[in-house]
Amino acid sequence: MSRLAYLLFSLFLLSCRQVQVPADYRQLSEEPKIYPDYIGVTVPINIAPLNIELLNAANDAVTRFSAEGFEVVCEGLKARPDMDDWHQLTEKAQGKSISVEVFAENDGKWVRFKPFDIFVSPDSIDPWLSYRLISPSYVSYEELTLNQRCLESYDEKVFVDNMLCSTESGGQCVNCHSFQQHNPGRMQFHARQNNGGTVIVYDGKVEKISMQNANLLSAGVYPAWHPWLKLIAYSTNKTMQSFHTSDPNKIEVLDSESDLILYDIDHNEVTTIEQEPDELEVFPFWAPDGKYLYFCSAHFKYKTDSVDLEDITLRYKEVKYNIYRKSFDPQTMLFGKRELVFAADSLGMSATLPRLSPDGRWLLFTMGEWGCFHIWHHDADLWMMDISKQLAPQALDECNSADTESYHSWSSNGRWIVFSSRRNDGVFTRPFFAHVNANGKTTKPFELPAADPDYHRQLLKSYNVPEFMRSPITQTPQQMANELKKEGKRVQVKSK
Amino acid sequence: MRRWLPYAYLPVVAVLLAVLEGDVLFRIQEQNLFLHTPLFFRQCMVTAGGLLMWMGAYLTQFLYYPMLGAGLLCLLWAFFMWMLGRTFHLPDQWMPITLVPVACLLIANVDLGYWIYYLKLRGYFFDATLGATVAVGLTWIYRCLPRKAYLRTIFVPIATTIGYVFFGFYGLWAAILMGITAWRTDSRRMMDGLLAVASVIIVPLVCYYVLFHETNLVNIYWVGLPVFAFRQESFFAYNLPYIGLVVSIMLIGYSEKLIGYSKKLIVNPISYLLLIIPCVAVCWYKDDNFHREQSMYRSIEQSDWEQVLKTAKGAKGEPTRAMCMMQNLALFRLGRQGDEMFNYPNGAKRPNAPFPIRIVHTQGKMLYLQYGVVNYCYRWCMEDGVEHGWTVAGLKMMAKCSLLNREPQAAQRFLNLLKKTDFNKDWAIQFQTHLQTPWQITKDKELGAIIPLLRKDNFLTADQSQIEMFLIEQILSTPGSTREQQELARLTIYYYQNNSFNLVEQ
């Protein structure tokens, strides 16, 4: 018995052993190769530990994170600082930087890579992020979940899981989660096919509605909550897909027709916002003051008088979206005429997903050479323009990569953006975060931290539609499934 | 009657499996994926029965060497038979009866045919064996527990919960077996029996609301069993071996008290074999075309084109389109299609399955790759991976497509995953040299032959799951195809026109 106690005590002591930073090493001039690439990134003060994995060949490694005399030392090829230590570290490094030194051992000899910094911004980030986890397939789907992840730790929870409503013969797609002003208590998402409809959560009330109506092109698709009124603008889309035989983009997702509608939650009514002939309207987004609705629209005239799918498929490169806006009077609930905000087509480009910063100054959008579905376009990049000064947009070179950057959203304090990027491998989308200062300058983005730094290289799913939230969603997947299984309340469609 | 005699049949079964089904077993492991990562384990555990599927997927890897995998399966069956004997106190004369559930397990694996491409249950080839062993094992533990202090009674809900969480349906089955055992042997039979029934009803419901969010409420009692459904249709007959398995073990459990009364009826193991062997033989899926498809696929993987033709030539009846396409591909690769195409069996026999089989889900992805239409190969690998589960074969092809498409980072991702498997990591490490020395790809036996077929021109289109029609159209209606490709396409069209095959269906 005493031997066992001794053994256990020894193991305990061993586990408490202070990791020794090598004293004898050779200094290298290059920085270490690490995944995720956190070299020189700027992070919010409240972010979870940035765990890293050393990719250089090594038998062992020691990593020292230090700031203002406080240090955290980790052993092993995967450096995973303790949560409390990390938060102490970021507290001390607030407004400054954490220095990271990586030592690697090969054949008993240690080397020290050139240290790098992680800058810690005093601007905090919304503590929760929601997203859909989806395999990057084209037509098929199986498991789809809407998840929420605490950015201050690694806690991740599912709040909608399509498998709870799917059967072997009847699948269900869930998509387009959206919030009113980052409020998880006011959100919506769609379900398609089996038990299809839109679930709207508003201050504790969960309700399923059905927007299927002969007078609409489709049920509501891309949503935008009005900042304070109980209104959601949607696009309605007739969407189609075609596949490239050899182009690396692999697929084109096209709208053959699309309009904009407004859904009034209290009155359960839908009215039309935009239904222009030869125009494909999509991606509505409200200005933070609620007095403008921004959206994208592409002018496309079919060669014949009617919608011709073959025509638009053959001419897919001609579909170029500009950014427009319409004034909106919250008192009368009337919209004004469309105004051009940015003519992307004049540059031979196509702009999508307009998102205004919470102060209403910066318009962030994605731009690629054509089309509206830039997540499948390797050339898609983030651009930003100063709306207040009507300056020409600039590409966010700090944030953009050689591969796809697409869906993006602003944090509630307007100091952080999250965006989808396929920079790692061109296939799987990962969320990246970048700081935006008052002058619209962005920093090198950092990938969503994970408890296992290798996690995102193993995960065969994409992060889709990352959206910040102030707090977590309280509904469980089972509650959402119960609601989805009900018949949706049919909306009334009123003419314009 | 020697107690070991029933076990003696198992090596015979292992050899039969390896010899008759070697290519199918190899294909089953290619359609499986097990990764040595914590994430893979966690992803398995999001549903009840997750551990069962994880273990099943792990063992399926061993079918890479069909004899090894079949031997392992038979070893598990031997253990299962031994446990059955111990749990239900079977005397030596009764041991042959344990061959009945084993026969059910064998049939459940050899009656599948084309289901191997569509079943979504991870590790299904070993799941039933593992699950049945766990169910019987829990019953054995129940029986070994002393009767004092209600230990057995307490064990019932605990075992059901643990069994259900980790082994799904088989945990519930264990509860029923414990209930039956209590009914037959225990003085507290009412209490334990009722508790077993209550556990079977309540545990899945509690798990649904508290633990898991991946299983529809309507399926919580069956999780861990394969679902034989395609589109809107279910195929009940494929569940019969599972029903036979459950019923036979329950009868063995229930019949315990009968031992001694009817010894003479069952002592002779030959009488069992007379019943079992015809049943297994009838249910064994013996379709010649299906087996030739697997063989040809494997030969193509090894770039053994002559063997492909040899297998095609031996077809016993009208071949399937997939066979013809593989045979034409082999002739094309050998440059003999013009001379020999009409010397080989041709046809469009519908695959022997109770539901429509699309070539894109079976051999189509490989055919797209071999004809240089890598985007479509990649696309279908992705679609099938998502819908029917990721597979070794899919990841390998996606790595090849990515490399041929000059997407080295994507190729690296798929290779990184394959490096976490047991039997395909060497392939991944070897293939990785192409990423480091891309100029050497042309020297690769397989990829080197595909590179000249890659097209620079691009078209936005869709194959509507009609691979052969699409390939012919792609070759004939667009510039950029090689003379040999055009020749093959014209010959195929000519063949169709003369034989009026319904091309659209496959």
Side-chain angles (χ1 to χ4, degrees):
Chain A
M1 190 64 193
S2 63
R3 277 187 184 176
L4 182 67
Y6 177 76
L7 184 69
L8 289 174
F9 184 65
S10 303
L11 285 173
F12 174 71
L13 285 181
L14 204 63
S15 69
C16 299
R17 181 175 64 96
Q18 183 80 37
V19 178
Q20 293 295 316
V21 176
D24 186 17
Y25 56 81
R26 186 165 59 88
Q27 179 64 47
L28 300 178
S29 57
E30 73 260 30
E31 288 166 337
K33 283 182 192 163
I34 56 167
Y35 180 78
D37 175 13
Y38 290 144
I39 296 174
V41 298
T42 300
V43 300
I45 186 167
N46 57 331
I47 196 72
L50 300 192
N51 295 343
I52 53 173
E53 180 175 7
L54 180 64
L55 301 181
N56 297 84
N59 294 327
D60 197 7
V62 169
T63 306
R64 176 161 60 189
F65 301 85
S66 56
E68 301 297 303
F70 183 80
E71 63 179 45
V72 179
V73 183
C74 303
E75 193 176 26
L77 297 176
K78 289 180 181 178
R80 291 185 263 209
D82 171 76
M83 188 75 69
D84 293 336
D85 288 349
W86 174 265
H87 285 305
Q88 259 184 284
L89 195 66
T90 53
E91 197 66 43
K92 292 213 182 265
Q94 185 175 169
K96 303 184 194 82
S97 61
I98 297 170
S99 172
V100 186
E101 300 158 86
V102 179
F103 302 82
E105 183 265 326
N106 271 312
D107 302 326
K109 291 175 183 164
W110 287 88
V111 292
R112 178 178 180 260
F113 291 97
K114 185 181 170 189
F116 64 90
D117 288 332
I118 294 171
F119 301 98
V120 180
S121 165
D123 297 322
S124 62
I125 199 165
D126 293 288
W128 288 83
L129 184 77
S130 62
Y131 43 83
R132 177 170 68 153
L133 280 184
I134 178 175
S135 299
S137 56
Y138 310 97
V139 176
S140 311
Y141 60 85
E142 187 74 5
E143 299 162 9
L144 299 174
T145 54
L146 301 182
N147 291 26
Q148 51 185 338
R149 159 77 196 270
C150 180
L151 296 177
E152 296 173 343
S153 66
Y154 307 115
D155 291 346
E156 188 185 33
K157 287 176 191 162
V158 172
F159 63 92
V160 177
D161 190 326
N162 72 327
M163 297 304 281
L164 292 177
C165 290
S166 297
T167 60
E168 199 68 19
S169 55
Q172 187 193 42
C173 174
V174 290
N175 52 59
C176 295
H177 57 287
S178 169
F179 306 89
Q180 188 178 44
Q181 298 289 80
H182 307 95
N183 181 351
R186 295 177 181 180
M187 61 97 66
Q188 74 95 57
F189 67 91
H190 303 307
R192 305 278 185 229
Q193 295 188 306
N194 207 20
N195 299 303
T198 298
V199 172
I200 295 179
V201 179
Y202 201 92
D203 293 348
K205 187 182 172 195
V206 185
E207 192 171 34
K208 181 181 172 185
I209 60 161
S210 171
M211 277 192 267
Q212 288 291 352
N213 189 291
N215 296 322
L216 300 174
L217 284 177
S218 70
V221 182
Y222 302 111
W225 283 81
H226 189 274
W228 69 84
L229 294 172
K230 289 176 82 172
L231 301 172
I232 309 174
Y234 290 102
S235 63
T236 54
N237 311 55
K238 290 268 190 206
T239 304
M240 55 185 279
Q241 301 185 107
S242 283
F243 300 91
H244 293 283
T245 50
S246 60
D247 191 293
N249 280 334
K250 296 191 176 69
I251 187 171
E252 283 301 326
V253 182
L254 299 161
D255 286 340
S256 58
E257 294 174 87
S258 59
D259 296 323
L260 296 180
I261 58 169
L262 186 70
Y263 175 62
D264 183 327
I265 297 173
D266 278 339
H267 297 98
N268 192 36
E269 270 177 18
V270 165
T271 49
T272 306
I273 301 173
E274 273 269 317
Q275 202 175 27
E276 297 297 316
D278 305 329
E279 288 289 328
L280 302 167
E281 302 94 340
V282 72
F283 299 132
F285 189 80
W286 291 94
D289 62 6
K291 293 179 181 169
Y292 282 98
L293 180 74
Y294 285 74
F295 61 97
C296 298
S297 184
H299 181 76
F300 186 85
K301 191 162 175 52
Y302 287 98
K303 283 179 179 166
T304 54
D305 287 339
S306 59
V307 173
D308 180 351
L309 301 185
E310 195 181 342
D311 184 21
I312 197 167
T313 305
L314 289 171
R315 294 164 58 205
Y316 68 96
K317 288 190 178 177
E318 294 173 28
V319 183
K320 299 192 189 265
Y321 286 82
N322 294 327
I323 298 176
Y324 296 86
R325 68 179 184 180
K326 281 170 97 87
S327 62
F328 177 72
D329 185 339
Q331 305 297 323
T332 61
M333 308 272 270
L334 292 174
F335 286 93
K337 288 187 172 170
R338 65 154 65 183
E339 305 165 22
L340 181 65
V341 176
F342 171 54
D345 62 355
S346 64
L347 303 174
M349 303 294 276
S350 180
T352 62
L353 295 166
R355 295 287 184 267
L356 272 169
S357 60
D359 62 5
R361 182 177 171 188
W362 304 103
L363 179 66
L364 182 65
F365 55 92
T366 307
M367 198 147 75
E369 220 178 307
W370 62 79
C372 65
F373 221 77
H374 285 328
I375 194 66
W376 288 112
H377 294 150
H378 292 295
D379 70 326
D381 280 332
L382 294 177
W383 288 64
M384 196 155 76
M385 71 185 285
D386 187 341
I387 286 289
S388 63
K389 294 179 183 166
Q390 291 291 311
L391 297 177
Q394 303 287 323
L396 295 188
D397 292 335
E398 285 286 346
C399 295
N400 292 326
S401 70
D403 220 298
T404 311
E405 274 72 41
S406 183
Y407 194 93
H408 45 269
S409 72
W410 291 86
S411 67
S412 57
N413 63 5
R415 284 290 160 262
W416 297 94
I417 55 171
V418 59
F419 59 92
S420 307
S421 177
R422 289 189 163 167
R423 65 189 59 194
N424 289 344
D425 51 34
V427 181
F428 296 92
T429 316
R430 302 287 176 245
F432 283 74
F433 303 83
H435 184 260
V436 187
N437 73 11
N439 298 319
K441 176 97 176 79
T442 54
T443 57
K444 179 180 173 181
F446 67 94
E447 191 173 339
L448 176 70
D452 179 352
D454 197 40
Y455 176 74
H456 285 140
R457 297 202 303 172
Q458 295 171 20
L459 184 68
L460 287 167
K461 286 189 175 174
S462 281
Y463 288 74
N464 190 213
V465 190
E467 288 282 354
F468 287 110
M469 298 187 298
R470 293 175 200 269
S471 56
I473 290 160
T474 52
Q475 281 80 18
T476 66
Q478 289 81 3
Q479 284 172 309
M480 294 296 201
N482 289 345
E483 196 58 42
L484 275 169
K485 285 173 183 172
K486 293 177 186 168
E487 199 63 37
K489 190 168 77 175
R490 294 218 163 260
V491 299
Q492 304 292 315
V493 178
K494 291 212 162 181
S495 55
K496 198 174 179 180
Chain B
M1 174 75 187
R2 293 177 195 275
R3 194 173 179 85
W4 55 263
L5 197 59
Y7 298 103
Y9 298 112
L10 295 178
V12 179
V13 175
V15 171
L16 278 176
L17 272 174
V19 172
L20 299 177
E21 301 291 329
D23 291 325
V24 178
L25 297 188
F26 183 81
R27 191 66 189 267
I28 286 171
Q29 70 80 34
E30 285 256 299
Q31 294 294 115
N32 174 63
L33 182 68
F34 178 88
L35 299 173
H36 283 281
T37 63
L39 177 62
F40 181 76
F41 181 75
R42 283 210 307 275
Q43 285 176 332
C44 287
M45 297 304 288
V46 296
T47 175
L51 185 64
L52 177 79
M53 294 170 214
W54 182 83
M55 291 165 71
Y58 174 75
L59 293 172
T60 305
Q61 293 184 105
F62 290 89
L63 296 174
Y64 185 87
Y65 299 108
M67 190 63 230
L68 176 66
L72 198 60
L73 185 65
C74 289
L75 267 179
L76 287 170
W77 284 343
F79 178 65
F80 171 63
M81 288 164 65
W82 173 82
M83 191 169 276
L84 265 177
R86 299 283 298 195
T87 305
F88 299 112
H89 296 181
L90 293 179
D92 292 354
Q93 304 93 304
W94 273 69
M95 274 311 284
I97 203 173
T98 57
L99 285 171
V100 175
V102 167
C104 294
L105 289 168
L106 174 63
I107 292 170
N109 281 343
V110 295
D111 72 344
L112 292 172
Y114 287 92
W115 280 110
I116 65 169
Y117 300 105
Y118 296 91
L119 283 183
K120 295 178 181 177
L121 182 72
R122 277 191 180 119
Y124 60 84
F125 199 78
F126 283 87
D127 284 351
T129 300
L130 293 168
T133 308
V134 166
V136 175
L138 286 172
T139 311
W140 184 33
I141 296 171
Y142 169 82
R143 199 158 179 174
C144 293
L145 286 172
R147 289 197 167 101
K148 65 180 179 188
Y150 291 93
L151 276 179
R152 285 188 177 188
T153 309
I154 294 165
F155 181 74
V156 172
I158 293 172
T160 312
T161 307
I162 293 170
Y164 179 73
V165 168
F166 293 115
F167 299 96
F169 162 82
Y170 298 96
L172 306 181
W173 181 25
I176 292 169
L177 285 177
M178 286 185 272
I180 289 173
T181 306
W183 186 259
R184 300 304 312 161
T185 61
D186 203 320
S187 57
R188 292 197 195 101
R189 59 190 190 181
M190 273 303 272
M191 190 193 292
D192 288 14
L194 286 174
L195 203 54
V197 173
S199 299
V200 168
I201 295 165
I202 294 167
V203 167
L205 282 171
V206 173
C207 288
Y208 172 80
Y209 283 105
V210 179
L211 269 183
F212 301 116
H213 54 73
E214 273 280 308
T215 311
N216 193 333
L217 190 60
V218 299
N219 292 328
I220 55 174
Y221 292 100
W222 317 112
V223 63
L225 289 173
V227 178
F228 296 99
F230 186 83
R231 308 251 186 266
Q232 306 297 323
E233 205 177 346
S234 288
F235 301 92
F236 180 76
Y238 289 91
N239 294 309
L240 289 175
Y242 292 87
I243 293 170
L245 173 71
V246 171
V247 170
S248 62
I249 293 180
M250 278 165 51
L251 282 176
I252 291 172
Y254 193 77
S255 306
E256 194 178 344
K257 288 225 165 171
L258 298 175
I259 295 170
Y261 291 100
S262 51
K263 269 183 192 170
K264 283 185 183 172
L265 288 175
I266 49 172
V267 283
N268 188 353
I270 303 296
S271 59
Y272 280 100
L273 291 179
L274 287 177
L275 177 71
I276 290 169
I277 289 174
C279 279
V280 172
V282 167
C283 297
W284 198 301
Y285 185 80
K286 299 177 282 292
D287 185 73
D288 181 58
N289 283 349
F290 171 76
H291 287 85
R292 282 181 193 278
E293 281 185 21
Q294 309 315 318
S295 173
M296 291 165 85
Y297 180 91
R298 205 171 168 188
S299 301
I300 291 173
E301 276 229 311
Q302 295 159 353
S303 300
D304 187 352
W305 301 108
E306 291 292 353
Q307 183 58 41
V308 175
L309 294 178
K310 205 172 153 190
T311 311
K313 195 118 196 173
K316 287 175 185 154
E318 183 187 355
T320 60
R321 265 335 284 167
M323 287 168 69
C324 298
M325 289 184 75
M326 287 191 278
Q327 157 203 303
N328 289 345
L329 173 71
L331 288 169
F332 171 61
R333 278 298 159 80
L334 295 168
R336 298 179 352 215
Q337 78 272 20
D339 300 329
E340 297 180 30
M341 191 173 160
F342 298 101
N343 297 338
Y344 284 86
N346 217 330
K349 190 176 180 187
R350 191 183 281 271
N352 182 8
F355 52 91
I357 302 292
R358 299 278 186 203
I359 296 174
V360 286
H361 300 305
T362 57
Q363 330 298 341
K365 297 176 278 287
M366 175 273 293
L367 286 163
Y368 270 138
L369 175 68
Q370 295 293 339
Y371 280 112
V373 191
V374 289
N375 267 8
Y376 278 61
C377 169
Y378 181 93
R379 183 217 158 178
W380 283 108
C381 287
M382 183 63 90
E383 305 277 20
D384 282 355
V386 169
E387 191 167 356
H388 300 112
W390 296 103
T391 63
V392 165
L395 291 183
K396 276 182 176 176
M397 276 190 274
M398 287 166 100
K400 290 175 190 173
C401 291
S402 301
L403 186 71
L404 291 166
N405 252 348
R406 295 181 187 170
E407 297 172 291
Q409 288 166 318
Q412 185 66 63
R413 162 175 284 274
F414 300 120
L415 293 177
N416 282 346
L417 290 168
L418 286 166
K419 277 193 229 169
K420 296 183 192 300
T421 63
D422 279 321
F423 295 100
N424 291 283
K425 72 177 157 209
D426 290 342
W427 180 90
I429 290 166
Q430 199 185 349
F431 194 84
Q432 190 161 321
T433 55
H434 291 317
L435 296 181
Q436 286 139 9
T437 54
W439 58 90
Q440 299 274 22
I441 301 174
T442 47
K443 291 179 184 165
D444 183 271
K445 202 174 176 186
E446 183 186 13
L447 301 182
I450 297 171
I451 287 169
L453 304 176
L454 297 175
R455 308 262 299 263
K456 287 194 177 121
D457 48 357
N458 177 61
F459 303 93
L460 200 55
T461 177
D463 65 0
Q464 312 296 339
S465 312
Q466 307 296 327
I467 174 170
E468 192 169 25
M469 176 87 86
F470 178 77
L471 278 171
I472 291 169
E473 279 178 4
Q474 157 95 350
I475 290 165
L476 290 183
S477 65
T478 60
S481 53
T482 65
R483 191 178 57 81
E484 291 82 4
Q485 279 179 316
Q486 289 185 12
E487 192 179 340
L488 177 64
R490 281 198 198 93
L491 288 168
T492 311
I493 287 280
Y494 174 77
Y495 188 81
Y496 274 112
Q497 285 168 347
N498 280 284
N499 291 278
S500 308
F501 286 130
N502 193 350
L503 191 61
V504 178
E505 283 187 353
Q506 291 183 44

